[in-house]
Structures are given as structure tokens and as C-alpha cells.
Amino acid sequence: MHEIMCPHCQRAFTVDEAGYADIVKQVRDSEFEAQLHERLVLAEQDKRQALQLAEADSAARLQRAAAEKDAEIQQLQARVEASATAQKLAVAEALSAVEKDRDALAGQLEQARREQEAAIALAEAKLEAAARQEAVARETELQELRARIASMELAQKLELSEAVSAVARERDELKNELERAALEKQLAERSLKEHHALQLKDRDGEIERLKDFKARLSTKMVGETLEQHCEVTFNQIRATAFPNAYFEKDNDARTGSKGDFIFRDRDVSGIEIVSIMFEMKNEADGTASKHRNEDFLKELDKDRREKGCEYAVLVSLLEPESELYNGGIVDVSHRYPKMYVIRPQFFIPLITLLRNAALNSAQVKAELEQVKSQNIDITHFESELDGFKDAFGRNYDLASRQFQEAIKRIDTSIAEMQKVKDNLLKSENNLRLANDKAQGVTIKKLTRGNPTMQRKFAELARGDADADAAAGAEQSGSARA
């Protein structure tokens, strides 16, 4: 156990070994860190001071060495200048012409070398700048072309997808409309067949009355003709059944013949949907020469063509015993196109039948014309789409060719600049060789093969030796004295 005094309250308390060891460890750790920090700070300060002293010492040493070196240099320069002055005075006359030529040649060579180096440096700078600009322009152009091609490809894909989706929608709509038109046509044909079947059934009921028609005709149509009977019958239902119809007698005999009545019906928009030329034929029972229906068919077809009618109908009471004509509506289109022979009781039913068939036909024709116009629009759209594809392909090929041509031109320019650079390097090599030759020029080489100059230089050398000997003798004499 250890007793510890609190520094604040001055009270003593005891702790066990483990607690005391912890407290001692904490105190030691904190003191150690504080001391370590202080020593690090002091070491850093000592380091700075040592560095400053070393720098100051180095600067002083450098100054002293520089001063000593300057003094030695001055002494050597003085000596060199003294000897050089003596030598220059001795050889000035002999070497003046040679030195002048040498200096002139060296100056020219130096000037040429400097100019060549400047030209080479300028050419290299221009070449590097041009190459850098060409590379930057080429890279910029390549990036622009890539971006343009990518945008064009994306736009083309979007346009193609939109066009294909639009064509698919229109195709589905047209297909649905065609199916609906076919269904409506089937329903109309079925309705027409049912209507014809009902009419045929009614016709069988009329056959019985037809047998008595002949006897009743003499009493019913007393004082009126068959034409008047048909006109009255039509006018009775004209306002309700045929409000837009034209039914009048044919009074135009300019071609030499004419029919009895012309029927024309129009739709609400005023477009003619059906036209019929009517011819009524009847004869009394006491007539000696009996006519046949076929006797009037040719003339009726002629009148139909001349008056511009679509159908021709012969309303006839001739051949009353003929089962063919008494059976109902007789189609004689195998003899003359769009021609029928009927009895008077089928006058209104035939007009209704032809008018309804014309209405259905007109509706189907209108729908077919609409489908044809839509098909024409689709064909035009497909042709325009193909034209756009062809134009885009041509533009893409043109851009690609121009891009390749630009790359070829850039490569050619780079090759030309490389040739210029090689020529400049060759010129620099030649100038270097010339400079080496100029630097290799010496007095000995210049006087080779020239005995006069060799004698002059030998005399100068002997004069220098004599002067040195005289100077040595003077120094020895003064030493003895």
C-alpha cells in the first residue's frame, strides 16, 4: 500500500500497488512526452543555428577564396599582359597581315555560324510551331468530324425509327380500315342478296296477277298510254323516295331518235350516282303485226349512248305470253351492256334497285379512292425516305472523302517540313566542319612551305631567347652586388 497526499485538499489517501503503478505510469508518460517535446524543440533550434553558422562560414570561406583567386588572377593577368606585350611588339609586324586575314576569316566564319544557328533555331521554332498548330488543327478537325458523324448517325437512327414507327402505325390503320371496308362490303352484299331473294319471292306472287294484267289493262289504262302510267307511278313516290331525282321525257331528237324518259339521281353533294334511259312499248291486242322486244333493243342502246346514260330499260307489254319477260326483271346485258327488259309492275322496284346499288357502289368507290390515296401517300413517304437515305449516304461519302484528303495533305506537309529540317541539319554539319577547320589554323601550318616566314619567326624566337638571357644575367649581377 502507498500513501499519497492530494495537492489541492491536502488530504492523504492510500492506494494499492496496481493503482499506484497506474498513477506513476501516467505521470511518467506525461512528463516523458513534455520532455521529449522540449528536446525536439531545442534540437530544431540547434539545427537552425548550426545551419546558419555553416552558411555564414561557407559564405566567408567563399568570399576569402574568391578574393584570393581574384588576386592570383590579377597577378597572372599582369604577367601575361607583360609577356604578351613584349611578344606582340616583337611579332606585330610579321603577323599583322596573317592576323588580319585570320581575324577576318574567323569573323566571317563566326558571323556565318551565328547566322546559321539563328536561322536553324528560327526554322526549328517555326517548324515546331507549324507542326504543333497542324497537330492541334488536325486533332480539332478530327474531333469535330467525329462529333458531327456521331450526331448525324444518331439523328439518322432517330429519324429512321420515327419513320418506321409512323409507317407501321399507318399500315396498321390502313389494314384495319381495309378489313372494316371488306366487312362492310360483305354485309352490304349479304343484305343485297337477302333483298333480291325477297324480291324474287314477291315476284312469284306477282306472277298470278300478271295473268289477269292483260284483261285489266284494257280497262285501267283507258285514255292513257304506258308512258303516262309510268310517269304517274313515279310521281306518286317522287317526293319521298327520290327527292333529288330528275325524271322527264326525252325531247332531244337532234340525232334522229329519242327515248321516252330519262332518269337521273344525285347525292346530297350534287354528284350524279345513276342515270337510266327508259323506253316504253305497248300495242293493242288487235294489232295485226306483232312486235318483239328485241326489235327495240338496238335503238334503245343507241339512245342511251347518245344521251350519256349508264343504264337502259325497256318497259314493255310486248310478247305477253313469253315466260321469260313475264318472270320479272330480264337482264339482256349479254346483248347490249347494262340493259334490262321489265314489265310495268317492276318499274319502281328496278329504279330502287339500281339506285341503291349505285349508292353502295359509290360508297365503296369513295372508300377505295381514299385507300388508294393513302397508299399513294405511303408510297410517296417511302420514296421520300429512300431519297433522304440516298442523300445522306452521298453527303456521308463526300465528307469521308474530304476527311481522307485533308489527312493526306497534312501527311504531305509533315513530310515536306521533315525534308526542310533534314536540309537545315546538313547545313549545320557543314558549318561545324568549316568551323573546325578554321579553329585548326596555326602559325606553323600557315608557314609550312614558306621559308621567309619561317626565318622571321625563328629570328623572333632567338630574340626572345637573347632577351631572356640578358634579363637572367642582370638578375644574377644584381644578386652578386
Side-chain angles (χ1 to χ4, degrees):
M1 302 294 288
H2 295 274
E3 185 175 348
I4 299 174
M5 181 68 70
C6 178
H8 298 286
C9 63
Q10 300 299 324
R11 291 179 61 186
F13 60 92
T14 59
V15 293
D16 56 1
E17 293 293 336
Y20 181 78
D22 292 336
I23 294 172
V24 171
K25 185 177 181 297
Q26 293 177 4
V27 172
R28 287 181 179 176
D29 292 341
S30 60
E31 290 178 354
F32 177 75
E33 290 179 357
Q35 293 177 1
L36 180 61
H37 180 68
E38 291 177 357
R39 290 184 181 179
L40 288 174
V41 172
L42 293 174
E44 186 67 24
Q45 292 177 356
D46 293 339
K47 181 181 178 181
R48 291 198 193 97
Q49 292 176 0
L51 289 174
Q52 292 176 358
L53 291 174
E55 290 176 354
D57 189 13
S58 299
R61 289 180 182 178
L62 289 174
Q63 290 178 358
R64 287 195 300 272
E68 293 175 356
K69 196 69 173 178
D70 292 337
E72 291 178 0
I73 290 171
Q74 290 177 0
Q75 292 177 2
L76 291 174
Q77 287 179 350
R79 293 179 182 177
V80 170
E81 288 176 357
S83 61
T85 302
Q87 289 179 359
K88 286 180 180 178
L89 291 174
V91 299
E93 294 179 358
L95 297 178
S96 59
V98 176
E99 287 179 352
K100 287 180 181 179
D101 294 338
R102 183 193 65 188
D103 294 338
L105 181 60
Q108 292 177 0
L109 289 174
E110 182 67 21
Q111 183 66 25
R113 185 179 63 79
R114 291 176 181 175
E115 291 178 355
Q116 188 67 26
E117 289 178 354
I120 291 171
L122 181 60
E124 288 180 351
K126 289 183 179 180
L127 180 61
E128 290 177 357
R132 193 178 299 109
Q133 290 179 358
E134 289 291 337
V136 172
R138 181 177 178 183
E139 185 65 23
T140 303
E141 186 176 1
L142 287 173
Q143 292 178 358
E144 291 177 355
L145 288 174
R146 291 193 185 101
R148 192 180 303 168
I149 290 170
S151 62
M152 292 173 69
E153 290 178 351
L154 181 60
Q156 183 184 14
K157 289 180 180 178
L158 291 175
E159 290 177 357
L160 287 175
S161 62
E162 292 176 357
V164 171
S165 61
V167 170
R169 287 196 301 271
E170 291 180 359
R171 181 196 62 193
D172 296 336
E173 292 176 359
L174 291 174
K175 184 177 180 181
N176 295 331
E177 290 177 0
L178 288 174
E179 291 177 355
R180 185 168 57 254
L183 182 60
E184 291 176 356
K185 183 178 180 182
Q186 291 177 1
L187 293 176
E189 290 177 354
R190 187 181 302 170
S191 176
L192 186 62
K193 289 179 180 179
E194 292 176 356
H195 183 67
H196 287 172
L198 183 60
Q199 286 184 347
L200 290 174
K201 187 176 180 180
D202 294 337
R203 183 196 64 182
D204 294 335
E206 292 291 332
I207 291 175
E208 297 297 329
R209 291 187 300 168
L210 186 61
K211 294 179 180 179
D212 300 330
F213 178 77
K214 190 174 182 180
R216 288 187 289 106
L217 185 62
S218 59
T219 59
K220 182 179 179 181
M221 300 185 66
V222 174
E224 64 180 7
T225 62
L226 182 58
E227 291 86 351
Q228 292 174 345
H229 169 70
C230 293
E231 184 178 8
V232 171
T233 303
F234 180 83
N235 289 331
Q236 287 176 352
I237 62 172
R238 184 172 193 168
T240 56
F242 307 99
N244 300 321
Y246 168 89
F247 184 77
E248 299 293 340
K249 289 186 65 67
D250 182 18
N251 297 320
D252 186 5
R254 289 177 296 179
T255 58
S257 62
K258 63 183 184 67
D260 292 331
F261 288 91
I262 295 177
F263 171 85
R264 299 182 186 276
D265 199 4
R266 302 177 183 274
D267 58 8
V268 293
S269 59
I271 299 175
E272 183 177 297
I273 57 176
V274 65
S275 59
I276 307 172
M277 169 65 72
F278 284 101
E279 182 75 19
M280 283 69 172
K281 293 299 178 181
N282 186 16
E283 64 181 3
D285 293 337
T287 303
S289 59
K290 300 294 184 181
H291 292 283
R292 301 171 65 245
N293 290 322
E294 292 184 0
D295 298 337
F296 305 96
L297 297 181
K298 183 177 181 181
E299 190 69 15
L300 178 59
D301 183 69
K302 177 185 175 184
D303 294 336
R304 179 186 72 82
R305 295 178 183 274
E306 290 175 352
K307 304 304 168 56
C309 295
E310 184 178 2
Y311 296 95
V313 177
L314 177 62
V315 183
S316 173
L317 290 174
L318 304 178
E319 300 180 50
E321 303 298 332
S322 175
E323 294 183 359
L324 175 63
Y325 298 113
N326 292 335
I329 301 172
V330 180
D331 185 1
V332 291
S333 298
H334 59 283
R335 297 292 303 277
Y336 299 96
K338 296 186 178 182
M339 184 175 291
Y340 300 90
V341 179
I342 61 172
R343 296 303 185 186
Q345 65 270 23
F346 296 107
F347 176 70
I348 297 301
L350 180 61
I351 294 176
T352 304
L353 181 64
L354 294 178
R355 197 273 303 270
N356 293 336
L359 286 174
N360 294 330
S361 177
Q363 183 178 3
V364 173
K365 287 180 180 179
E367 292 177 355
L368 288 176
E369 289 297 327
Q370 184 179 4
V371 172
K372 287 180 180 179
S373 63
Q374 292 175 352
N375 290 332
I376 292 172
D377 293 338
I378 293 173
T379 304
H380 290 169
F381 177 78
E382 291 178 350
S383 62
E384 291 177 357
L385 181 61
D386 293 336
F388 170 76
K389 290 180 180 178
D390 295 337
F392 183 82
R394 288 195 299 271
N395 292 334
Y396 178 79
D397 293 337
L398 181 60
S400 179
R401 288 196 298 271
Q402 292 176 351
F403 177 74
Q404 295 297 330
E405 183 66 22
I407 291 176
K408 289 181 181 178
R409 291 184 178 179
I410 290 171
D411 294 337
T412 304
S413 300
I414 292 172
E416 293 294 332
M417 297 302 292
Q418 186 65 35
K419 289 180 180 178
V420 173
K421 182 179 179 181
D422 295 339
N423 292 330
L424 290 175
L425 292 175
K426 291 179 181 178
S427 300
E428 181 184 8
N429 189 24
N430 292 328
L431 289 173
R432 183 181 58 79
L433 294 175
N435 186 29
D436 293 340
K437 290 180 180 179
Q439 294 296 330
V441 175
T442 60
I443 300 299
K444 189 174 182 180
K445 290 181 178 180
L446 291 174
T447 58
R448 183 181 298 168
N450 192 347
T452 302
M453 296 303 299
Q454 288 179 358
R455 286 196 300 272
K456 292 290 185 181
F457 282 111
E459 291 175 359
L460 289 173
R462 285 195 299 272
D464 292 338
D466 293 340
D468 291 337
E474 289 178 358
Q475 288 179 358
S476 62
S478 61
R480 290 193 189 97

